[in-house]
Amino acid sequence: MKRTGAQIVWEVLTQEGVDVVFGYPGGAIMPVYDAMLDYGIHHVLVRHEQGAAHMADGYARASGKVGVALATSGPGATNLVTGIATAMLDSSPVVCITGQVPSKLLGSDAFQETDITGVTLPITKHNFLVTNVEEIAPTLRQAFAIARSGRPGPVLVDITKDAQQASCELVLDGEVAVSRASLPESLTFELERALAMIDEAEQPLLLVGQGVIQSGAAAAVRALAEKADIPVAATLLGLGAFPATHPLALGMMGMHGEAWVNHAIQEADLIVALGMRFDDRVTGDPKTFAAKAKKIHVEIDRAEIGKTVKCDLNVVADLRTVAARLMEGAKSRTRSPWREKIGAMRAAASDRDILKREDDGRLHAAHVIDELWRATDGRALVVTDVGQHQMWEAQYYKHERPRSLVTSGGLGTMGFALPAAIGARFARKEDEIWVVVGDGGFQMTACELSTCAQEGLKLNVAVINNGFLGMVRQWQEMFYDRRYAATPMLSPDFCKLAEAHGLAGLRCSERADVRATIENARAQSGTVVVDFRVAAEENVYPMVPSGGDIGAMIRRPNQRVA
Ligand SMILES: Cc1ncc(C[n+]2csc(CCOP(=O)(O)OP(=O)(O)O)c2C)c(N)n1
Ligand SMILES: [Mg+2]
């Protein structure tokens, strides 16, 4: 039976198992929108296309499935760009479908024409321009296969309006071939070497990244850590890959990592990096990073090998398979001296913990996050924005399970949290979701509150309101002589903003009221925005100055423990 290109788009989405798409209509995508009414896929009307890309990304991160965003040509497509770049840097499987001007107008500066495949070339895993109806089905299917295979990433498919309107026979059979990372025989040598290096090490560490979560290796990694008695540190995106309250869990590494984690990395004689890419926020100066350690890198993307840190052994393969093989082959042993050494470093750091300081009468973000963790029993899905609040969340919310934290790491995209949480809401219908967002980032995409209202969604939004673009202010305080250029920020009344959208708003400025406010928000059926008025000039510690030695952290000024 013949179908139009627009119908074929929905046929393929249906076949791919897509149950929700996030988008915004316009001239060049109207045929696809018209055909949508005849298909059973739920469409979420966003308020800005950036939101559509973040929602698709949040859906993907929360579910492990491919998220889909839809937009028109020109400004619709370019509004997706920040969201696509965010998904690219964090390896999130997203397919963006954009309408394009009719093929006979391509290159003529037609109304709302932008060369979006040109624009997104460096920020997509792959992209396509489709001008022929016959190519729509095979191209879209390939887009899904590319987005989810190997190291996942965003794929954009730009379809001209005439291709959407034309008709052809639809054939949807057969597998779509994509190259898959396999574990060739030759890797046996690498695995044996890795096992020997692990066994010889006295002070080894496992460094877990998002790849552990995405490849489904978390259980095997945990078993490996337990069998070989190896402490585990996580990257920001690796939080949740290993249970935070496990005795071998050390916490987050890097620029705002825990002091004992960074010291342990500098003391280690072996690091086994699993599904992480030695981001500069992790390594600081790569020359001084883990200088005493031999290094093993297990990674699916060959392009990451040796990019910043040269390792002694590289294993380019599917992490789930490698972790299972390492777990099987590892010798059972204990490493109590090493664990005790790290334990002592941890104890020495505890008097700098913000929660243990004498009550100065002010509400701190750490109080809010700690209460949130306790109130939700560590089981919520937390979606964070970018800034100080993001780092406090990473430090104080203890993530026990994979996919319990969604955050923009690589690109550090302010405005990510609210739309990403909306996407996550569709992926995780049963789970409690908390958005942790700064007063600055919230204002970038707060228009999506209207989407929450229209869709009748339940989200809890904790605005950590410090009256500043806090993370930039912190750098100004530390490195620019406290000259606060363009960081004090006036915000609207967030409670009234919520109310204007038909949603509930709550305010909390006292430490004693945090728990009751959280419970109040949880008890309401719709989306609630909580304006937590926190101390203005508080800093995230420890801090490794950009490009510095991770062992040389700026520490919180020591205060007497109450
Ligand atoms: C889109 C975007 N613009 C600028 C920045 C630079 N930046 C990083 S953190 C930050 C401040 C964030 O302020 P806020 O949202 O209030 O969070 P806080 O740090 O105060 O917790 C800024 C401006 C960014 N990361 N993303
Ligand atoms: Mg702020």
Side-chain angles (χ1 to χ4, degrees), residues 174-354:
E175 281 284 298
V176 179
V178 276
S179 60
R180 288 199 156 223
S182 58
L183 195 65
E185 276 307 295
S186 61
L187 274 182
T188 308
F189 169 77
E190 271 94 340
L191 289 174
E192 272 166 18
R193 222 181 123 210
L195 287 167
M197 286 166 80
I198 290 170
D199 194 45
E200 277 159 25
E202 292 303 325
Q203 306 199 142
L205 283 180
L206 300 184
L207 307 188
V208 296
Q210 187 184 216
V212 173
I213 297 169
Q214 292 186 315
S215 67
V221 169
R222 178 177 176 168
L224 169 67
E226 288 170 350
K227 189 174 179 192
D229 198 17
I230 308 179
V232 181
T235 66
L236 173 65
L237 293 191
L239 292 173
F242 191 80
T245 55
H246 191 288
L248 286 169
L250 301 183
M252 185 170 72
M253 67 184 94
M255 181 175 275
H256 292 297
E258 308 292 358
W260 59 89
V261 179
N262 288 341
H263 285 313
I265 289 173
Q266 298 304 67
E267 286 300 308
D269 61 2
L270 174 71
I271 59 170
V272 186
L274 302 172
M276 55 85 82
R277 61 184 178 88
F278 297 105
D279 180 82
D280 56 85
R281 287 299 193 255
V282 159
T283 62
D285 180 357
K287 284 198 208 69
T288 57
F289 176 77
K292 297 180 190 163
K294 289 217 166 69
K295 301 177 188 76
I296 302 174
H297 194 188
V298 186
E299 164 63 46
I300 197 152
D301 183 1
R302 193 175 293 278
E304 290 298 343
I305 301 299
K307 197 171 78 176
T308 52
V309 171
K310 305 265 176 285
C311 293
D312 303 271
L313 177 64
N314 297 302
V315 186
V316 182
D318 171 45
L319 179 55
R320 185 181 176 138
T321 319
V322 172
R325 294 266 295 267
L326 290 177
M327 193 271 287
E328 277 163 29
K331 290 206 182 107
S332 215
R333 57 173 290 186
T334 57
R335 291 184 165 91
S336 28
W338 174 223
R339 271 191 286 101
E340 280 156 22
K341 193 167 169 181
I342 300 175
M345 296 195 273
R346 193 171 191 154
S350 77
D351 64 344
R352 300 183 192 243
D353 187 334
I354 210 168

Side-chain angles (χ1 to χ4, degrees), residues 72-74 76-78 80-81 84 96-101 106-107 112-131 139 143 154-160:
T72 192
S73 66
T78 56
L80 293 173
V81 164
I84 296 173
C96 294
I97 302 171
T98 48
Q100 182 55 281
V101 301
L106 281 173
Q112 296 194 327
E113 180 186 8
T114 297
D115 173 11
I116 197 63
T117 45
V119 169
T120 59
L121 185 68
I123 55 161
T124 46
K125 189 173 171 189
H126 203 79
N127 69 24
F128 300 91
L129 169 63
V130 181
T131 57
T139 307
V155 180
L156 180 133
V157 183
D158 195 28
I159 310 176
T160 58

